[in-house]
Amino acid sequence: MSVRARFAPSNTGYLHMGNTRTALFNFLFARNQKGTFILRVEDTDQQRSEDRYTEAIIDALQWLNMEPDEGPIFQTDRFDTYGEKIDQLLEEGKAYKCFCTPEELEAQRQEAQEAGRKPKYSGEWRDRTDHPDDQPFVVRIKMPLEGTITVKDLVQGEVTVNVEELDDFIIRRSDGTPTYNFVVVVDDVDMDISHVIRGSDHLNNTFRQIPVYRALGQQPPTFAHLPLIDGLSKRKGSASVQDYRDLGFLPEAVVNYLSRLGWSHGDQELFSMDELTSLFGFDSVGRSPSTFDEDKFRWVNSEWMKRLELSDLAERWVPFLKDRGFDVEVDDNLIAITDLMRERADTLVALTDESTYFFSDDFEYNEKAVKKWLSPDLKPAVEALADRLQSLEEWNSDAIGTLYRELGKEFDLGLAKLAQPTRIGLTGSTSSPSVFDLVATFSRDEVVVRLQKVIDELLTE
RNA sequence: GUCCCCUUCGUCUAGCCUGGUCCAGGACACCGGCCUUUCACGCCGGCGACACGGGUUCGAAUCCCGUAGGGGACGCCA
């Protein structure tokens, strides 16, 4: 039997990292088993469902390279099916009409709570036949009256609960719409889902859903309830996939980092999607919840920035540069800059922040740096530097390095005395890549112009 | 309140099933050093955990029981 796994988010919000991890594990398992990965949108919440969220979810999965093999399937397209199934259960006596009002139920819940009992429906209408004609009603499913229900879970192991914990829950509201715990089961049956992989907040639902499978005459699928992730909501608003994309994280890093929340493979930290799909299995999924750690996420991202093909990284960088108003495209120069800068940043945004001076000379000189490294007595040396750079035969790092050393000797200056003023002139501060590489990455004219500006503005009294 | 689940360094985790090789390994973060024309990167080193209490056993992070703490679920939401 082939594996069919589904990711079933509701379209009431953007795709958050917790959900993304669930999607990822479904995807990885399906791929690992040569099965099918399906997207189903649970859009039955009339109030909060929105198309733009559906689009965002699809867009996010695409970006992460986790496109579904089937779907999206929408539950709102399937209301007729749900209605038929409920009618069928009603006819078979496996479900019944309940005429209690929400107020009555609320009162009962309160009472039970206070008495220290589990707040559950009494089953009052389960066997009553004195149905009023003109009252609104809901449909409830009959839960077994005695015994236990056991979930065999790939992550949690066997979990058993006494049926006394369960009540006859509503499967059709008084407005005629079906409820979640019912439609999931109908959908999973119709979609021939073999493995239900979701957050462990659904573990308790599973005990309700298993009797539904049975009422429908179906075998429940295999379940895998993943431990939850803490610390997501606290992240001030930036918790959706596209938020992290905008922050300059790479999809490879999102996938890599998320895979390690709850799953592991020995001491290995870095995984490509291919490695993940071949290594993934529920044997290596832990049971305890984890915390989202942005520091480590950034580290994983920085590793991916170093691993990507240079031109690929440059290409992905361009949109961020354009966002800042720098009209660039991928060419040899941008690739050289990427090469020089990428190991100094952990996100594409950080990379942009660190690199602005390559694209604009509109920056302030760092005051402390100027004070420490620039004094008028350096003027002749810097003038000579600009001059000799202007006429240097070859424009590359080695040749430039040689020139700096020569000048150092001639003027009897340490390398720093020439290097730091150069940095200040080119970048505004003293932190940058190797000066020789730095200089070589700029055009000769640009270097001379910026050096001249230093001479005029900072070395001339 | 009731039920379910969880508990190894600050964080992610290896080890646990198949007790000894674990005075517990790796990674992030942090601290120190090296490299060096600066800042990073990199390299080297350091700090740092088996929640607690009972058992079982020659021996327990590993098995059993209990306690505490944390999370989840208890909707005419999904």
Side-chain angles (χ1 to χ4, degrees):
Chain A
M1 191 180 105
S2 80
V3 165
R4 290 175 61 81
R6 107 271 127 121
F7 173 53
S10 64
N11 59 343
T12 54
Y14 293 100
L15 189 58
H16 282 239
M17 296 307 255
N19 264 170
T20 307
R21 204 266 317 243
T22 301
L24 176 63
F25 281 27
N26 271 282
F27 177 86
L28 294 179
F29 183 67
R31 283 285 175 280
N32 178 266
Q33 299 289 311
K34 308 263 180 288
T36 309
F37 174 58
I38 306 159
L39 173 64
R40 180 173 78 221
V41 180
E42 317 236 312
D43 59 344
T44 55
D45 187 327
Q46 316 277 3
Q47 265 72 51
R48 299 182 298 151
S49 288
E50 287 186 41
D51 286 346
R52 65 189 174 109
Y53 293 132
T54 306
E55 282 158 27
I57 290 164
I58 292 170
D59 171 59
L61 292 178
Q62 215 163 49
W63 183 67
L64 292 168
N65 205 6
M66 286 165 40
E67 283 190 75
D69 303 308
E70 290 180 19
I73 288 160
F74 296 94
Q75 292 187 318
T76 45
D77 291 340
R78 296 174 38 77
F79 268 59
D80 291 348
T81 306
Y82 306 137
E84 285 163 22
K85 296 288 184 194
I86 292 171
D87 289 340
Q88 180 193 323
L89 293 184
L90 229 27
E91 261 171 55
E92 294 171 354
K94 292 172 177 169
Y96 60 93
K97 298 175 179 176
C98 164
F99 293 84
C100 291
T101 65
E103 294 72 32
E104 284 169 358
L105 295 172
E106 187 47 39
Q108 283 178 24
R109 266 196 288 274
Q110 285 259 339
E111 200 182 320
Q113 281 267 14
E114 280 158 24
R117 295 194 315 272
K118 187 149 180 115
K120 49 180 266 194
Y121 173 64
S122 65
E124 184 183 344
W125 289 86
R126 184 165 169 131
D127 298 311
R128 271 172 75 168
T129 50
D130 53 331
H131 296 178
D133 298 326
D134 54 349
Q135 297 294 309
F137 63 88
V138 299
V139 175
R140 288 179 183 272
I141 187 163
K142 288 182 180 173
M143 286 285 114
L145 262 12
E146 52 188 34
T148 58
I149 294 174
T150 298
V151 176
K152 283 180 192 154
D153 192 286
L154 258 23
V155 174
Q156 309 290 333
E158 280 195 13
V159 187
T160 300
V161 88
N162 198 307
V163 295
E164 282 158 28
E165 300 302 324
L166 277 17
D167 64 0
D168 295 342
F169 66 90
I170 294 169
I171 58 176
R172 175 189 280 160
R173 303 185 184 94
S174 51
D175 67 1
T177 58
T179 61
Y180 171 76
N181 275 125
F182 184 73
V183 302
V184 207
V185 174
V186 174
D187 284 340
D188 286 339
V189 166
D190 286 356
M191 291 164 68
D192 202 21
I193 298 302
S194 65
H195 295 258
V196 170
I197 302 161
R198 72 226 307 193
S200 66
D201 50 337
H202 285 283
L203 185 60
N204 287 283
N205 283 330
T206 311
F207 299 111
R208 288 164 216 288
Q209 291 167 198
I210 284 176
V212 178
Y213 280 98
R214 294 194 178 134
L216 257 19
Q218 300 290 332
Q219 280 295 320
T222 302
F223 294 94
H225 286 94
L226 311 171
L228 269 16
I229 302 172
D230 299 329
L232 287 174
S233 53
K234 286 182 221 148
R235 300 247 75 86
K236 38 176 197 267
S238 67
S240 82
V241 171
Q242 23 282 309
D243 283 334
Y244 282 107
R245 176 177 64 191
D246 293 347
L247 250 21
F249 285 88
L250 302 169
E252 287 85 348
V254 175
V255 164
N256 191 154
Y257 178 69
L258 252 23
S259 76
R260 291 284 291 100
L261 252 30
W263 175 85
S264 63
H265 179 67
D267 286 339
Q268 190 174 342
E269 298 285 352
L270 270 8
F271 300 87
S272 68
M273 188 64 110
D274 283 347
E275 284 177 288
L276 250 19
T277 55
S278 70
L279 294 171
F280 185 81
F282 287 107
D283 286 350
S284 311
V285 173
R287 269 194 282 262
S288 48
S290 48
T291 307
F292 190 88
D293 179 18
E294 190 159 315
D295 280 336
K296 185 146 185 184
F297 184 23
R298 296 186 88 91
W299 173 76
V300 171
N301 200 59
S302 74
E303 289 297 317
W304 276 99
M305 287 181 59
K306 289 173 203 158
R307 285 164 175 243
L308 248 41
E309 208 59 51
L310 212 45
S311 58
D312 186 10
L313 216 215
E315 217 158 288
R316 301 195 204 196
W317 187 21
V318 168
F320 289 85
L321 257 5
K322 289 197 164 156
D323 250 21
R324 285 296 168 90
F326 302 130
D327 186 24
V328 296
E329 55 187 59
V330 181
D331 55 15
D332 288 350
N333 185 238
L334 186 65
I335 287 179
I337 295 171
T338 307
D339 192 18
L340 207 52
M341 300 302 288
R342 68 162 157 186
E343 66 184 28
R344 317 171 66 80
D346 53 13
T347 64
L348 290 172
V349 166
L351 183 61
T352 308
D353 290 340
E354 294 290 313
S355 309
T356 54
Y357 53 78
F358 283 108
F359 311 103
S360 160
D361 59 4
D362 182 22
F363 53 78
E364 306 273 300
Y365 295 114
N366 179 290
E367 236 176 89
K368 276 172 93 174
V370 170
K371 216 169 168 186
K372 179 165 182 193
W373 293 102
L374 294 179
S375 58
D377 57 301
L378 241 33
K379 190 174 178 181
V382 176
E383 277 176 334
L385 178 64
D387 214 44
R388 304 266 284 270
L389 243 15
Q390 181 75 276
S391 54
L392 193 64
E393 264 179 54
E394 284 187 83
W395 193 253
N396 60 49
S397 182
D398 285 347
I400 291 163
T402 305
L403 172 61
Y404 269 79
R405 285 183 233 283
E406 281 171 11
L407 279 172
K409 274 189 195 141
E410 284 174 32
F411 287 86
D412 195 25
L413 292 170
L415 202 45
K417 293 280 190 186
L418 288 171
Q420 297 302 56
T422 305
R423 284 201 172 87
I424 292 167
L426 295 182
T427 75
S429 83
T430 53
S431 85
S432 87
S434 156
V435 247
F436 313 144
D437 292 336
L438 182 73
V439 170
T441 305
F442 281 91
S443 71
R444 189 190 298 255
D445 288 345
E446 186 64 25
V447 172
V448 173
V449 167
R450 292 193 189 186
L451 245 26
Q452 192 56 50
K453 193 176 169 201
V454 168
I455 294 164
D456 294 343
E457 294 183 14
L458 303 172
L459 296 178
T460 306
E461 286 165 298

